Amino acid sequence: MIATIIPDVRNHYPVLLSEIISIITPQYGGTFIDCTFGQGGYTKKILNFPATKVIALDRDSESYKKAQELQNSFEDRLLFKNIKFSQLNNLKLKDENIKAVIFDLGYSLNQIKDPKKGLSFDTVGELNMKMGMNDFSAKEAINQLDEKELTKIFKYFGDELDSKRIAHNIVEDRSKREITTEELVRIIESSKRKRNYKTHSATKVFQALRIFVNKEISELIYGLINAAKVVKKDGVIAVVTFHSLEDKIVKYFFKSLSENKSVSRHMPKTEEKLNLFKSVIKKPIIPSDKEIRENPPSRSAKLRYVIKKEDFFDFETDILNKFKHLIDIENLSKKL
């Protein structure tokens, strides 16, 4: 879940940029947190407005090079931290008036094409898929987890219809040889009952492995919870998602805290309960036809946002229970 998929590593195309800017209004100044710095598309646009400051985060250490370039231009208005966005609450923000927290949950093409990361089914060699600060790789998951565990990962994180068949064939093959990227693609292609000519046969399994290796479910959930804590009253949380599982989590978090009363633990029980968020839109914002023509991978992007109504830190949310079954699947990694 690191920044947007882009069609050319030489030209960065931050998805739904104009829509994001119109929502967070940096023309009026303020401090903004870019949780997925990536190639710096959102951050640079925000810093082009005077009286703005950006705290940029990215778990991928490669992003630091791009951050250094921007720091040379914007000096003390950009602070970069090489951390996961789930660690938002560890930032020292006491004196910061956080106006907006932004997440872009896609991958950039330079990350997808980086052979060291091994994110793509076009990669040759060892399975990896680590985006930074990981405890294990896809190689360990594929070669060590059992058939039932692999089936769960492919089914729930990738919505793969042939998950059981693929997992069975992986376990069969790895008894003879270590599974590499090319070998995994071959197994998937030979396991599929029906061929989809619009998307590659390995797409869903590779998506599932990326989510599992980078613990993207719990990362997103804790990122949202901590974003809701640090953003100030009337501030915005904006999230761009690229697949249905991410969107489902964001939609539930925003909707539940907009419609259900949530109260600070430090407030007297006799005090009136309050809604944490104001939901401005019911349906997500999607890219225009023009943007999709210029940047085809943006077609799957969905932007949702909420405004924080009340300025309190602690609140009640059942999101961890709601998606416990997915977190339990992530926790299969404890075996590795």
Side-chain angles (χ1 to χ4, degrees), residues 115-253:
K116 297 191 298 295
K117 287 185 169 62
L119 293 167
S120 171
F121 39 75
D122 292 325
T123 306
V124 175
E126 190 173 294
L127 286 162
N128 183 13
M129 303 197 186
K130 296 189 291 185
M131 289 307 304
M133 304 179 183
N134 300 77
D135 299 320
F136 62 94
S137 68
K139 174 185 174 182
E140 293 165 276
I142 284 293
N143 287 287
Q144 294 179 34
L145 293 176
D146 66 31
E147 186 176 324
K148 285 186 178 179
E149 291 163 342
L150 290 172
T151 299
K152 283 183 179 179
I153 293 166
F154 302 156
K155 179 180 178 180
Y156 290 100
F157 290 171
D159 197 26
E160 173 55 67
L161 295 176
D162 294 309
S163 56
K164 190 172 182 179
R165 187 180 173 92
I166 293 167
H168 174 78
N169 290 338
I170 286 170
V171 173
E172 285 271 304
D173 272 46
R174 77 186 188 193
S175 63
K176 306 166 192 170
R177 64 184 74 82
E178 188 176 80
I179 305 296
T180 62
T181 301
E182 306 99 300
E183 182 67 13
L184 179 57
V185 171
R186 185 196 65 75
I187 293 168
I188 295 166
E189 289 180 331
S190 65
S191 302
K192 295 289 287 182
R193 289 183 173 88
K194 291 183 179 179
R195 189 76 181 262
N196 185 336
Y197 293 97
K198 290 184 179 180
T199 57
H200 194 286
S201 299
T203 298
K204 291 184 176 182
V205 169
F206 273 68
Q207 173 188 298
L209 285 170
R210 289 195 295 263
I211 291 171
F212 180 69
V213 170
N214 295 293
K215 297 188 175 181
E216 293 182 7
I217 304 302
S218 56
E219 181 71 9
L220 175 56
I221 290 172
Y222 283 108
L224 291 170
I225 290 171
N226 289 323
K229 291 179 178 181
V230 304
V231 74
K232 298 298 184 183
K233 183 179 178 181
D234 298 322
V236 172
I237 302 174
V239 188
V240 179
T241 63
F242 286 85
H243 60 73
S244 60
L245 193 53
E246 293 171 340
D247 186 58
K248 187 176 181 180
I249 292 169
V250 174
K251 181 181 178 180
Y252 181 82
F253 185 71

Side-chain angles (χ1 to χ4, degrees), residues 64 80 122 165 285 294:
Y64 179 63
F80 177 81
D122 292 325
R165 187 180 173 92
I285 298 168
E294 292 174 354

Side-chain angles (χ1 to χ4, degrees), residues 21 24 26-27 30-32 34 37 40-56 67 69-79:
I21 294 300
I24 65 174
Q27 63 267 34
T31 300
F32 302 83
D34 182 352
F37 176 77
Y42 291 150
T43 289
K44 185 176 181 181
K45 187 67 174 180
I46 293 167
L47 290 172
N48 282 333
F49 293 92
T52 57
K53 177 181 177 180
V54 174
I55 300 169
E69 292 177 21
L70 287 184
Q71 281 172 329
N72 292 335
S73 301
F74 297 102
E75 297 178 349
D76 59 350
R77 290 204 288 132
L78 171 59
L79 175 65

Side-chain angles (χ1 to χ4, degrees), residues 275-311:
N275 294 101
L276 182 63
F277 295 146
K278 176 185 177 183
S279 182
V280 182
I281 55 171
K282 289 188 177 180
K283 292 186 177 181
I285 298 168
I286 59 175
S288 65
D289 291 340
K290 180 177 181 292
E291 179 166 4
I292 293 171
R293 284 196 302 272
E294 292 174 354
N295 181 21
S298 71
R299 64 186 177 277
S300 57
K302 291 182 179 179
L303 166 61
R304 296 184 188 272
Y305 74 98
V306 286
I307 298 170
K308 189 173 180 180
K309 286 177 60 180
E310 304 297 335
D311 209 2

